[in-house]
Amino acid sequence: MESALKTKEDLPMSKTGSVQTITPSQMKEIGSAAQQSVPTDLPFTVADYWEHNKGELIRKFQNVLWSAPGVNLESPALTKVVSDCQRALRRMFGRHCLEVAPLPAIVTEERLEFWARYNLRPVFLPELDLTEGCRLPKRWIRPNAWFYQKLWEGKIGEAIPGLVPTKLRSGWYLADFSIGVDYNAGTQVFTNDPWAPLFERLRREKLVGKYDETPMDSRFAITNDEWIQVVLGYMSSKLGFPRGNLRLERASEFNAIGNLYDLNRGKFIMWVWLADSFDVSFRLLGGNRGLGGLTSVNFDRYASRYWHVASRPLVVLS
């Protein structure tokens, strides 16, 4: 898959300290070389294993390269990304807050501009466990009591294996800062939604459904299933990321991003699908202003279609 991220093709491999940064053109060359047939003089078992597993091996190799450190922080734009996130943590937690980790090498000025076209901005999430009894600043808006009750009952599953629903994994992410909208009899659309052409295309190709009232370019009335199985795959292709880097936000991530970075979260009469499972056939959703805003968490069937439910992609950078 050709990356949609464009930079100068003739740039040499850049260096920051002892760490080298891989450019998109070099990544493409690596992928192309890896896709070639293996030498015929390799043992049969080795050649056979490569032919049947090379896709997965190449994907893992690319993930390692994309997340490698080595960003040049002499760039004012990149320095501002780090300082803005550090400032957000300091506003919430005070001077003794955790330090923001270095940006991964994939974050460049060119990519910041490209991601901004899709309302995507890098955010740093600290390692934090949002348990009901954890000590948080008074201004932190916690998930509602229902969320913790269902956790205690064992109803909410792990969206990421081995990571409990309340726990944040420290790292850099691309969060969607698109402005939400109030429910309007199912006819509502996000204002100037950069993904609108994609939603319209997927509906014209019968890959995503809708109701009669739903505008073709609206991100509402898309099921959780359709987001996972269709929409995120097309978004990852457009953004030039492996599919595994894109997912929906977990309830803890939605809550943390809203508290630290995106003050528009929970300000509208609408829900967003979340990644957390609930029982067998359900997924969490959150953020409805009419039921508490940022604190609100609820659930519904992942295969069901609703006029008032949208969602947001989350890109894992490190």
Side-chain angles (χ1 to χ4, degrees):
M1 175 180 67
E2 184 176 356
S3 173
L5 303 177
K6 304 297 183 183
T7 57
K8 295 180 180 178
E9 292 297 322
D10 57 349
L11 283 177
M13 187 178 292
S14 60
K15 294 185 177 180
T16 304
S18 61
V19 181
Q20 293 182 324
T21 303
I22 307 297
T23 66
S25 60
Q26 291 164 339
M27 176 69 77
K28 183 179 177 181
E29 291 174 6
I30 292 171
S32 297
Q35 292 285 2
Q36 301 303 312
S37 298
V38 296
T40 56
D41 58 349
L42 284 177
F44 173 77
T45 54
V46 175
D48 184 66
Y49 180 84
W50 172 256
E51 287 299 327
H52 287 86
N53 295 276
K54 62 183 179 182
E56 177 66 12
L57 294 172
I58 291 169
R59 184 187 66 78
K60 291 180 178 179
F61 181 57
Q62 287 176 328
N63 282 342
V64 171
L65 292 179
W66 282 128
S67 60
V71 170
N72 177 15
L73 287 182
E74 294 179 359
S75 160
L78 301 184
T79 302
K80 186 176 186 301
V81 170
V82 175
S83 62
D84 284 350
C85 290
Q86 190 67 67
R87 191 176 300 112
L89 292 180
R90 191 172 294 118
R91 278 197 305 265
M92 181 62 70
F93 296 104
R95 290 191 301 171
H96 302 294
C97 65
L98 294 172
E99 290 294 316
V100 170
L103 281 168
I106 191 175
V107 184
T108 64
E109 289 189 17
E110 292 88 350
R111 291 186 186 126
L112 285 179
E113 293 177 4
F114 176 74
W115 295 332
R117 299 176 201 168
Y118 296 94
N119 295 334
L120 295 171
R121 286 162 40 189
V123 299
F124 179 80
L125 295 182
E127 185 173 339
L128 194 63
D129 197 350
L130 301 176
T131 59
E132 191 171 19
C134 71
R135 296 184 61 183
L136 289 169
K138 291 183 179 179
R139 57 185 172 276
W140 187 286
I141 302 173
R142 297 172 183 260
N144 56 17
W146 179 90
F147 174 75
Y148 291 108
Q149 175 66 26
K150 297 308 173 184
L151 276 173
W152 182 81
E153 294 174 5
K155 298 283 190 179
I156 299 175
E158 297 176 351
I160 299 176
L163 196 64
V164 297
T166 56
K167 199 161 190 177
L168 296 175
R169 175 178 286 170
S170 174
W172 284 97
Y173 303 82
L174 284 182
D176 180 8
F177 282 76
S178 299
I179 305 299
V181 63
D182 285 334
Y183 173 75
N184 183 24
T187 64
Q188 69 281 351
V189 296
F190 279 23
T191 302
N192 299 321
D193 191 347
W195 291 110
L198 174 62
F199 299 132
E200 181 169 1
R201 171 191 169 187
L202 295 179
R203 286 190 168 112
R204 291 193 185 283
E205 296 178 2
K206 309 299 183 183
L207 298 174
V208 166
K210 74 183 198 72
Y211 288 113
D212 290 343
E213 298 86 350
T214 309
M216 292 288 286
D217 59 352
S218 173
R219 69 170 68 190
F220 287 89
I222 299 176
T223 70
N224 188 289
D225 248 3
E226 290 169 341
W227 276 96
I228 302 302
Q229 297 177 12
V230 179
V231 178
L232 293 180
Y234 280 83
M235 287 181 170
S236 66
S237 178
K238 187 69 174 177
L239 295 171
F241 283 99
R243 171 62 183 85
N245 286 56
L246 268 74
R247 55 179 172 79
L248 301 182
E249 296 172 355
R250 298 158 58 233
S252 56
E253 293 162 343
F254 174 83
N255 183 263
I257 293 170
N259 274 287
L260 292 170
Y261 301 109
D262 186 3
L263 300 183
N264 286 301
R265 301 282 175 105
K267 302 297 185 185
F268 300 93
I269 301 176
M270 55 166 279
W271 293 100
V272 294
W273 285 116
L274 301 172
D276 311 76
S277 63
F278 184 88
D279 275 352
V280 178
S281 302
F282 303 88
R283 294 292 182 271
L284 294 187
L285 35 77
N288 192 313
R289 187 188 74 203
L291 293 172
L294 189 59
T295 189
S296 64
V297 184
N298 212 312
F299 74 101
D300 224 312
R301 290 186 178 275
Y302 61 76
S304 295
R305 191 179 312 285
Y306 296 104
W307 289 280
H308 57 307
V309 182
S311 202
R312 301 176 181 276
L314 182 74
V315 184
V316 181
L317 294 179
S318 66

